[in-house]
Amino acid sequence: MKTMNFTKYSPYPTVGLADRTWPDRTIEHAPVWCSVDLRDGNQALPVPMSVDEKIAMFRLLVSVGFKEIEVGFPSASATEFAFVRRLVEDGLIPDDVTIQVLTQAREHLIRKSFDAISGARHAIVHLYNSTSTLQREVVFRKNMEEVKAIAIEGTRLVRQLKDESRNSGIRFEYSPESFTGTELEYALEVCHAVMDAWGASKDEKIILNLPSTVEMSRPNLYADRIEWFCRNIKDRDAVLISVHAHNDRGTAVATAEFAVMAGADRVEGALFGNGERCGNMDIVTMGLNLLTQGVNPCLDFSDLPRIREVYRRCTRMDVHPRHPYAGELVYTAFSGSHQDAISKGLKARGQKGDGLWAVPYLPIDPEDVGCTYEAIVRINSQSGKGGVAYVLEKEYGIQIPKWMQPDFAEAVQAVADRTGEELSAVKIHDLFHSEYIRLQGEVALKKCNISWAEGDGGASGATTTLISSVVSYGGRELSFEAEGNGPLDAFVKGFILAGGFEFTVEEYAEHAIGHSAGACAIAYVRIGCPEGRVSFGAGVDSNISLASIRATLSALNRL
């Protein structure tokens, strides 16, 4: 086996925080959310959204409940600028929603950004410059003081332009970009300088966004950095600590959750994790993670299919079938043991009645996010008897008894193995009918009359069932009359006597299919023969007595 060259990489430095407290904290309320779908998400698309597509996405984000939305980088292109102006001039921004625009710390870009938000009631100007060791040395070739000066000068200009606009609804956010690649003490130094330049106070808070621009470490180390920063920042009540995590290591959601536990007030992210490289932190996943812990996410994901459809249409990106909460297969079980556990869990929850969700393999109620139960259990060669039974009961009201489920599951398994395909509910229903109900064989009912005779005790005495039947069997017709303690008992006695074939009914079950006056009845039987063979059958009729007889003939034919 070839050994990969692991020696070219160095471990991420730890934080000297022996008395860290965040691991023992829980998230008790949602953070302030800020969607970056229209900026960070959009700039990562192979085909960026048009103005109309961005408006459709903006309306979706508003409907979900976002109160802060980063709408673009208006100084970067004419399309970005036109979109922001359209939002403002057409009155598309609700009064309780704040738009956010991103700008580099350059004078002409900052001024262009203020032109874009002119007339907006509430806006955040998001200023950034990279402070990381690598970018200082390789990209900008500037020392620490020079990089800090860029942040200070940019902040002062934003302060000046805000004051000139006389718009008290303009707020300020600063990001030391590549925070995870910046020395902690230096990041704090730059942020303190920015706070001073802005004049941050309890009454006019500054947003300090500490991005994991490139995910470089385990999420616990990011949380350590956030807790260290929250402890050491001056005038904590003058600051909102924001986090912006990317998914390069696949742990952006954990990174953001740990950061909130470590003291962060605000979280930036995108629907379904869209964004540069491996994407941004997925707000859908984090929000619904909170929901499953009994915390109000303050975002409405109750119609995920609609959200997914608008997202796909606007971004031309797909949502993976296994994507947490939103994927088309995440509420689907193919495994037999999973199917059986889900089916039992749903039934038990209905009987318990305490309102709490507790179903095996389903951490969330699919109906809470606009999904249905129909797709929870799907059948292929990996499926088991419980899943097959669940599909028939859910879709068609056919409640196969436990003692018969393995027999039908074997028939389903044979078809699935032969075709190598998933079997739809329609195919399973058709297979049930062909296997039991429509089965043609040597035995067929030609005629059957049923009557009852009261016992000597009158109305309170035992009732005897009388049956007169004609059955075709082995190429001949059998006519017989018999009596028993019920229609099925009488029929079995008469058939055995006339046909000379010995068997006993070992199991029996019945129920109605549907609830209307014209509902049919279905019966299930298991019969056994003296030599040890067993067979299962099912029968459907508007008369339950005839349904039980048809089920017995079905079992005889399957022998």
Side-chain angles (χ1 to χ4, degrees):
M1 182 183 71
K2 181 181 177 181
T3 301
M4 297 183 70
N5 186 10
F6 60 90
T7 60
K8 69 188 290 185
Y9 302 99
S10 59
Y12 191 83
T14 59
V15 180
L17 199 68
D19 59 342
R20 62 182 58 82
T21 61
W22 68 262
D24 295 324
R25 297 177 187 166
T26 58
I27 302 176
E28 298 179 348
H29 58 84
V32 175
W33 300 108
C34 178
S35 161
V36 295
D37 290 85
L38 293 167
R39 198 276 303 169
D40 206 346
N42 183 58
Q43 74 182 37
L45 297 174
V47 180
M49 287 181 269
S50 67
V51 170
D52 287 340
E53 287 167 340
K54 292 191 79 171
I55 288 174
M57 178 62 80
F58 179 80
R59 285 175 168 153
L60 172 67
L61 296 169
V62 169
S63 72
V64 167
F66 286 99
K67 302 304 180 186
E68 296 182 7
I69 302 173
E70 191 163 84
V71 293
F73 201 145
S75 61
S77 73
T79 300
E80 294 281 283
F81 187 89
F83 168 61
V84 179
R85 291 311 304 155
R86 177 104 172 257
L87 290 177
V88 175
E89 293 171 0
D90 289 1
L92 301 178
I93 309 168
D95 290 343
D96 61 346
V97 171
T98 300
I99 61 170
Q100 179 171 302
V101 293
L102 184 71
T103 179
Q104 291 175 323
R106 298 182 184 178
E107 181 177 355
H108 68 289
L109 301 181
I110 295 171
R111 291 185 181 277
K112 187 76 170 179
S113 299
F114 268 84
D115 290 342
I117 63 172
S118 177
R121 181 172 298 183
H122 303 290
I124 297 170
V125 176
H126 182 185
L127 181 82
Y128 78 96
N129 68 307
S130 185
T131 58
S132 74
T133 308
L134 187 62
Q135 294 217 34
R136 291 197 315 265
E137 295 175 353
V138 175
V139 180
F140 304 112
R141 301 194 178 188
K142 293 181 181 294
N143 61 35
M144 288 183 170
E145 286 301 315
E146 289 171 322
V147 168
K148 182 171 68 173
I150 293 172
I152 294 171
E153 291 167 11
T155 301
R156 285 174 176 166
L157 181 57
V158 174
R159 174 85 257 180
Q160 174 190 329
L161 295 176
K162 176 192 171 172
D163 293 342
E164 290 175 357
S165 73
R166 297 184 180 180
N167 184 349
S168 60
I170 293 178
R171 295 156 61 201
F172 180 56
E173 175 177 349
Y174 172 70
S175 289
E177 192 200 4
S178 300
F179 168 75
T180 47
T182 303
E183 304 90 337
L184 264 176
E185 292 80 2
Y186 178 61
L188 182 67
E189 179 184 332
V190 172
C191 287
H192 279 163
V194 166
M195 290 173 66
D196 291 340
W198 178 253
S201 67
K202 184 178 180 180
D203 296 328
E204 190 171 5
K205 295 178 186 289
I206 185 174
I207 300 170
L208 292 180
N209 188 52
L210 308 175
S212 174
T213 307
V214 178
E215 189 174 37
M216 304 168 68
S217 73
R218 298 188 304 273
N220 62 299
L221 295 181
Y222 184 75
D224 281 352
R225 292 175 68 91
I226 296 301
E227 181 167 342
W228 183 94
F229 198 93
C230 289
R231 287 186 189 184
N232 289 280
I233 191 74
K234 67 177 184 178
D235 301 329
R236 181 64 176 89
D237 61 354
V239 175
L240 287 174
I241 299 296
S242 177
V243 293
H244 177 119
H246 278 258
N247 201 42
D248 300 272
R249 289 171 54 97
T251 58
V253 171
T255 293
E257 290 184 339
F258 284 4
V260 171
M261 292 163 61
D265 308 297
R266 182 176 183 268
V267 172
E268 296 187 348
L271 298 178
F272 310 117
N274 184 35
E276 296 282 6
R277 302 176 312 281
C278 300
N280 285 286
M281 197 285 300
D282 177 14
I283 284 185
V284 175
T285 298
M286 184 172 174
L288 291 175
N289 282 354
L290 295 183
L291 181 75
T292 64
Q293 301 305 302
V295 176
N296 180 5
C298 298
L299 293 172
D300 181 7
F301 295 122
S302 62
D303 192 357
L304 272 185
R306 177 186 70 90
I307 296 170
R308 190 172 58 203
E309 188 277 326
V310 176
Y311 168 83
R312 283 171 168 166
R313 175 161 44 85
C314 292
T315 65
R316 302 170 186 82
M317 298 288 285
D318 209 349
V319 176
H320 194 280
R322 299 293 182 193
H323 194 102
Y325 302 111
E328 293 177 352
L329 292 178
V330 298
Y331 304 114
T332 301
F334 291 101
S335 163
S337 60
H338 290 202
Q339 293 169 344
D340 184 57
I342 290 171
S343 178
K344 290 175 179 175
L346 290 172
K347 289 180 180 178
R349 181 175 182 270
Q351 296 166 357
K352 197 173 181 182
D354 62 4
L356 293 176
W357 181 256
V359 176
Y361 300 111
L362 290 177
I364 192 173
D365 184 347
E367 289 189 341
D368 286 344
V369 291
C371 299
T372 60
Y373 292 134
E374 280 71 10
I376 287 179
V377 174
R378 289 164 60 176
I379 306 303
N380 63 13
S381 61
Q382 304 299 308
S383 305
K385 61 184 184 299
V388 171
Y390 175 86
V391 168
L392 282 182
E393 180 175 357
K394 185 66 180 176
E395 299 291 332
Y396 299 101
I398 296 174
Q399 302 167 23
I400 305 178
K402 284 185 176 297
W403 45 262
M404 186 172 171
Q405 290 177 11
D407 185 71
F408 182 53
E410 186 177 334
V412 173
Q413 181 83 29
V415 174
D417 282 337
R418 185 175 69 251
T419 63
E421 298 176 351
E422 179 185 345
L423 301 184
S424 67
V426 173
K427 288 182 180 179
I428 294 169
H429 183 250
D430 186 66
L431 180 60
F432 178 82
H433 274 257
S434 64
E435 191 73 19
Y436 302 106
I437 308 300
R438 297 195 303 266
L439 180 67
Q440 299 296 317
E442 292 189 29
V443 189
L445 186 65
K446 297 295 184 180
K447 180 181 177 182
C448 187
N449 292 319
I450 303 171
S451 59
W452 289 267
E454 293 291 345
D456 294 338
S460 62
T463 300
T464 301
T465 302
L466 307 175
I467 196 163
S468 175
S469 296
V470 178
V471 176
S472 64
Y473 175 47
R476 58 197 175 105
E477 285 196 352
L478 302 178
S479 298
F480 57 85
E481 294 182 352
E483 62 181 46
N485 58 16
L488 183 57
D489 180 57
F491 179 84
V492 170
K493 288 177 180 177
F495 181 83
I496 291 173
L497 185 64
F501 185 83
E502 289 287 338
F503 68 95
T504 57
V505 176
E506 297 179 344
E507 296 281 2
Y508 175 78
E510 65 182 44
H511 65 83
I513 303 176
H515 303 286
S516 65
C520 287
I522 185 169
Y524 314 87
V525 299
R526 181 178 73 183
I527 64 173
C529 301
E531 67 273 24
R533 289 192 300 161
V534 296
S535 182
F536 300 82
V540 175
D541 200 282
S542 58
N543 183 301
I544 186 58
S545 297
L546 289 178
S548 65
I549 291 170
R550 294 188 189 282
T552 303
L553 296 178
S554 167
L556 287 169
N557 281 322
R558 294 183 81 244
L559 279 174

